[in-house]
């Protein structure tokens, strides 16, 4: 096997090496079963154990209350952009409110508009999506059916800080794809939270949905079965064949968070330390590196910054790649550099990037 690089990909992203090792074993043969995890029925006792453990571990890690269902769905967060308004807005007289802090929130908004009336409660586009609002200070239009936010905008690198969730008001609906499991969350404040797994929780192919039981009452009849949350609640995510390998890997990631990291408080602390290494480097560079996000909105997951010219940025990326630091090119809409440092990126990898940044600035500055 070739040596592993420090992979700063925004997603699919680095997974813990110990999880990949376990997955390799279970791909060959599930202990005690005599067949691979991808070769057995999703209705077998062995696979039911996997789904149940994945749910139990998520409940433990996040303190998910009994009021909330835990679902494993397909179609990515992108399908949730449609499924959420289809289930919670279609046929409703009250508009939904959307807070748009970046590219993904804008996509969610566009899909919701196909389902019903939507008010934009806040939009950061004119400022280049560099900020996040204080949700408590927002004037929400009338009685909104729900309030949609993106807790972390993967492309711009802006994130709501810990405890941003309003304690009252309309049901909170959150796209947490790129910071799910990176810190503890007050799940009781959420009506619906969804996250594609391929950043922090596992591989692509499974989307985690946490849904308050009360919201099931709003769902209009007549939706296609696969797009109706009630189908998946009633069948405990086993209505049809689920993405078995992705769920197994997600389960292994939850074990890693519990056993090797020690829970989400510890994970959050590590993530804060890792992000500080890079933001301190940006701030100490005397303008050589310019952060995209305004400091209060800086993401702990995606660190975005610019250099003086696109040519210098290309040189940065190419020289970093030679040092085994890969996938640092920013998204085409923002440009510059993006270092995605999700849960599974070790501090050692972030330190290597910081050293490279300091050295590059010395040489090119
Ligand atoms: N929301 C956010 C915040 C994302 O980062 C992404 C993917 N990068 C998506 C939604 C879309 O996810 P998917 O590709 O799983 O549909």
């Amino acid at each position: 096997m070739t040596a592993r690089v420090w992979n700063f990909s925004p997603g699919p992203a680095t997974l813990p090496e110990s999880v990949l090792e376990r997955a390799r074993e279970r791909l060959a043969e599930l202990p005690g079963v005599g067949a691979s995890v991808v070769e057995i029925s999703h209705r077998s006792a062995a696979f039911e154990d996997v789904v149940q453990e994945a749910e139990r571990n998520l409940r433990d890690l996040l303190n998910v209350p009994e009021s909330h269902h835990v679902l494993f769905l397909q179609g990515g967060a992108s399908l949730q952009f449609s499924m959420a308004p289809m289930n919670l807005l279609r046929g409703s007289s009250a508009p939904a409110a959307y807070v748009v802090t970046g590219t993904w929130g804008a996509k969610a908004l566009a899909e919701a508009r196909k389902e019903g009336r939507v008010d934009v409660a806040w939009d950061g586009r004119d400022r280049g999506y560099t900020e996040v609002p204080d949700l408590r200070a927002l004037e929400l239009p009338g009685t909104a059916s729900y309030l949609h936010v993106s807790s972390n905008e993967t492309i711009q690198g802006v994130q709501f800080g810990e405890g941003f969730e309003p304690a009252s008001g309309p049901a909170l609906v959150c796209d947490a794809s790129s910071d799910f499991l990176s810190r503890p969350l007050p799940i009781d404040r959420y009506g619906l939270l969804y996250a594609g797994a391929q950043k922090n929780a596992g591989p692509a192919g499974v989307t985690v949905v946490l849904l308050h039981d009360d919201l099931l009452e709003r769902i209009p009849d007549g939706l296609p079965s696969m797009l109706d949350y009630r189908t998946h609640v009633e069948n405990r995510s086993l209505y049809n064949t689920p993405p078995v390998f992705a769920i197994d890997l997600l389960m292994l990631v939850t074990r890693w968070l519990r056993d090797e990291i020690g829970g989400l408080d510890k994970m959050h602390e590590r993530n804060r330390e890792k992000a500080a290494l890079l933001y301190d480097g940006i701030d100490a560079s005397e303008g050589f590196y310019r952060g995209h996000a305004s400091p209060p909105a800086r993401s702990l997951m995606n660190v975005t910054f610019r250099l003086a010219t696109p040519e210098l940025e290309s040189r940065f990326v190419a020289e970093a790649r030679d040092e085994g630091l890969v996938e640092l090119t920013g998204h085409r809409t923002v440009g510059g550099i993006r270092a995605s440092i999700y849960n599974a990126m070790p501090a050692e990898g972030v330190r290597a990037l910081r050293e490279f940044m300091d050295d590059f600035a010395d040489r090119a500055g």
Side-chain angles (χ1 to χ4, degrees):
M1 203 167 125
T2 54
R4 277 171 69 83
V5 290
W6 296 123
N7 171 16
F8 295 92
S9 166
T14 296
L15 285 169
E17 265 188 88
S18 61
V19 166
L20 296 177
E21 281 301 319
R22 287 293 94 66
R24 194 159 67 164
E25 292 159 17
R26 294 161 72 88
L27 183 60
E29 189 198 326
L30 205 53
V33 174
S36 166
V37 66
V38 299
E39 295 174 312
I40 57 173
S41 167
H42 58 292
R43 312 230 177 256
S44 63
F47 188 72
E48 286 225 352
D49 284 350
V50 171
V51 183
Q52 282 170 15
E53 181 177 344
E55 172 172 348
R56 195 167 58 242
N57 292 353
L58 284 177
R59 284 190 180 276
D60 289 348
L61 285 164
L62 282 160
N63 273 320
V64 178
E66 282 304 310
S67 51
H68 286 64
H69 302 284
V70 177
L71 305 176
F72 302 108
L73 307 186
Q74 300 191 63
S78 299
L79 183 59
Q80 295 307 308
F81 292 165
S82 301
M83 222 170 134
M86 221 178 249
N87 282 261
L88 305 179
L89 182 61
R90 193 182 276 195
S92 158
S93 55
Y98 274 65
V99 167
V100 183
T101 51
T103 306
W104 293 110
K107 289 205 171 186
L109 169 69
E111 294 302 316
R113 283 192 161 132
K114 298 175 184 170
E115 289 296 333
R117 273 209 304 137
V118 180
D119 289 320
V120 178
W122 193 89
D123 191 338
R125 187 180 48 194
D126 291 349
R127 274 167 286 176
Y129 295 131
T130 53
E131 288 166 36
V132 296
D134 175 357
L135 293 185
R136 291 177 195 87
L138 283 186
E139 300 252 342
L140 289 179
T143 46
S145 57
Y146 64 84
L147 170 65
H148 184 282
V149 300
S150 319
S151 50
N152 184 70
E153 282 284 354
T154 322
I155 290 175
Q156 284 79 16
V158 296
Q159 183 181 26
F160 283 95
E162 200 183 7
F164 73 97
E165 303 89 349
S168 57
L172 183 63
V173 175
C174 179
D175 173 9
S177 294
S178 50
D179 64 359
F180 186 58
L181 298 178
S182 71
R183 61 185 180 189
L185 292 175
I187 299 296
D188 55 328
R189 294 193 179 176
Y190 289 81
L192 168 66
L193 179 148
Y194 59 89
Q198 66 270 23
K199 287 97 166 54
N200 270 334
V206 60
T207 306
V208 178
V209 169
L210 307 181
L211 176 64
H212 196 297
D213 188 66
D214 285 355
L215 293 184
L216 295 177
E217 285 166 19
R218 297 195 193 175
I219 300 175
D221 285 330
L223 292 180
S225 305
M226 279 294 286
L227 301 181
D228 186 325
Y229 287 123
R230 292 174 299 191
T231 304
H232 302 290
V233 167
E234 283 158 19
N235 293 280
R236 303 195 64 111
S237 306
L238 294 173
Y239 171 70
N240 71 327
T241 316
V244 290
F245 193 49
I247 293 176
D248 192 54
L249 253 125
L250 181 142
M251 186 278 286
L252 294 173
V253 169
T254 61
R255 278 191 195 167
W256 171 81
L257 279 166
R258 180 191 62 197
D259 300 337
E260 290 181 53
I261 301 297
L264 296 190
D265 279 317
K266 293 263 172 54
M267 193 71 252
H268 190 200
E269 195 180 309
R270 285 194 190 202
N271 285 330
R272 276 195 301 247
E273 286 167 11
K274 286 188 293 177
L277 272 173
L278 299 187
Y279 289 118
D280 288 351
I282 291 170
D283 293 341
S285 74
E286 293 173 346
F288 183 78
Y289 300 113
R290 285 174 289 115
H292 176 79
S294 78
R298 283 173 164 176
S299 167
L300 301 188
M301 299 281 104
N302 313 96
V303 178
T304 47
F305 55 95
R306 309 290 318 233
L307 280 75
T309 62
E311 291 70 33
L312 201 55
E313 289 164 347
S314 301
R315 208 181 118 196
F316 178 98
V317 170
E319 291 189 18
R321 194 182 302 120
D322 290 342
E323 300 288 321
L325 305 158
V326 309
E327 299 279 349
L328 285 163
T329 306
H331 191 272
R332 61 190 179 280
T333 53
V334 174
I337 311 294
R338 169 172 52 170
S340 298
I341 49 172
Y342 301 116
N343 286 354
M345 169 57 70
E348 196 189 342
V350 180
R351 273 196 296 274
L353 175 58
R354 169 66 191 274
E355 276 164 27
F356 173 80
M357 286 169 69
D358 291 349
D359 179 57
F360 188 84
D362 281 347
R363 287 185 285 112

